[in-house]
Amino acid sequence: MLNGTVSARMGRFMVDAARQAGMDPARLVRLPDVGDAVLADEFARVSTPTALLLWEQIILGRPAVHAGLHAVQLASMGTFGVWDYLFTSGETLAESLRTGCGYVTVIGDPGAEKLHVSDDGRLFTVTHSTGPAEPDVVAAVEQFVLPLISRRATEGLRRPVVPVRVAFRHGPPHTLGPLTEFLGTRNIEFDAPVNSMTYLAEDAHAPMPRTQPGLQDVLRSHAELTIASAKPVLGWHGAFRTTLRATFHDPDLSLASVARRMALSPRTLQRRLGELGTTWRDEVEGVREELAMDLIRDSDVPMRTIAARARFSDARALRRAVHRWHGTTPGDLRRRHEHPAPQGREEQSPEPPTDPPTPGAHG
């Protein structure tokens, strides 16, 4: 099952876009399924939670622009491999769009991204829906998918092809200028019941120039092989941990909110954790430890700031937790990392912290 994953090509594109948006390289390194070896593997699949985390970073890095539309402008023809060329290889634009939308699994999460086409002989419409995520991420994805298809339609016909109507489920952005300029129409609706893009039949059924007979069959076969050979890098638990870490700073962090991001019910998520011999509380504690230790060892962030980021009540609670985990203090761990002990010398056992306990400090 490829639900909950996207292609390595999509992962590579998202990583590049996040880097351009200013994402901290150290944070990228800690994402388990977007390493160089994974992204170089044509058949690897990156977890959707990782893709959503990258979208969040792109949005944070470009708060004044349409993040989804900006990403489309980075996606030149060929970025997504065979999926791109399926949009240009049919005898008509309608055939190409129908085929490309039918193979969304080649690059996207089949459990989240749905593309459909309809043709009444007068109008040809592409509809899109995406999975659960934070509202700004959903808006960015919606402003990425339909404009990307619009760009591929224009590239396939080798001339501008303008939709007569575009609709988005999310609310209107602060400015419409970039969208209307890119799509070539002012007929854009927001807060619509469904995301859609509609072309006149005369455009949709226009012949594609330079179509090579039999090419689409070859591309379909390659797409089928890509899907059949795909291999998710993370198992279910790894995807859960990635989701939990990506949402750890959310004020409303809860089992229910993480379940929603993974398109699961809270009861199903709780049951799956139980089957692995773990609990929600254990998982939160594990991510809290990972986050705190990364910041202690790899940064000069003050302890009170680390405590806040790792969801501790204060720095004393952080010190007690570190002693519980590693038998030493945060300051000593940081000094050891900066000045490793010479080989052959045994380090002295640190003194336990002397701060008085705070009730409920470790949540």
Side-chain angles (χ1 to χ4, degrees), residues 45 51 96 111 116 132 139 142-143 164 168-169 172 177 181 183 237 250 268 271 321 334:
R45 300 285 293 194
S96 296
H116 298 284
E142 291 176 348
Q143 286 190 27
V164 294
F168 294 106
R169 291 189 63 195
E181 182 178 353
L183 294 170
H237 190 227
D250 291 356
T268 297
R271 175 176 57 77
R334 179 168 280 177

Side-chain angles (χ1 to χ4, degrees), residues 278-289:
T278 185
T279 65
W280 168 254
R281 186 184 180 89
D282 290 342
E283 294 295 324
V284 169
E285 182 75 356
V287 171
R288 175 182 280 163
E289 179 180 358

Side-chain angles (χ1 to χ4, degrees), residues 248-251 253 288 291-292 295 301-319 361:
F248 205 71
H249 302 299
D250 291 356
L253 177 68
R288 175 182 280 163
L291 180 59
L295 290 170
V301 174
M303 294 302 164
R304 64 179 180 279
T305 304
I306 296 175
R309 291 186 184 179
R311 303 182 76 95
F312 287 101
S313 57
D314 54 32
R316 291 185 301 172
L318 170 64
R319 286 196 291 271

Side-chain angles (χ1 to χ4, degrees), residues 63-139:
V65 302
H66 296 69
L69 189 60
H70 178 77
V72 174
Q73 294 166 334
L74 300 176
S76 58
M77 173 60 75
T79 295
F80 302 118
V82 66
W83 190 74
D84 278 346
Y85 296 111
L86 286 170
F87 278 99
T88 66
S89 60
E91 292 186 4
T92 66
L93 176 60
E95 181 184 341
S96 296
L97 292 176
R98 188 174 287 108
T99 302
C101 290
Y103 281 94
V104 66
T105 302
V106 172
I107 63 161
D109 179 349
E113 304 301 320
K114 308 292 184 184
L115 286 166
H116 298 284
V117 299
S118 60
D119 186 354
D120 65 6
R122 186 176 63 89
L123 299 173
F124 185 94
T125 300
V126 179
T127 60
H128 165 249
S129 62
T130 191
E134 295 304 307
D136 57 346
V137 173
V138 169

Side-chain angles (χ1 to χ4, degrees), residues 321-339:
V322 170
H323 188 262
R324 185 172 69 253
W325 297 330
H326 299 281
T328 188
T329 65
D332 191 41
L333 278 175
R334 179 168 280 177
R335 284 189 294 273
R336 284 192 218 170
H337 186 71
E338 292 172 348
H339 307 288

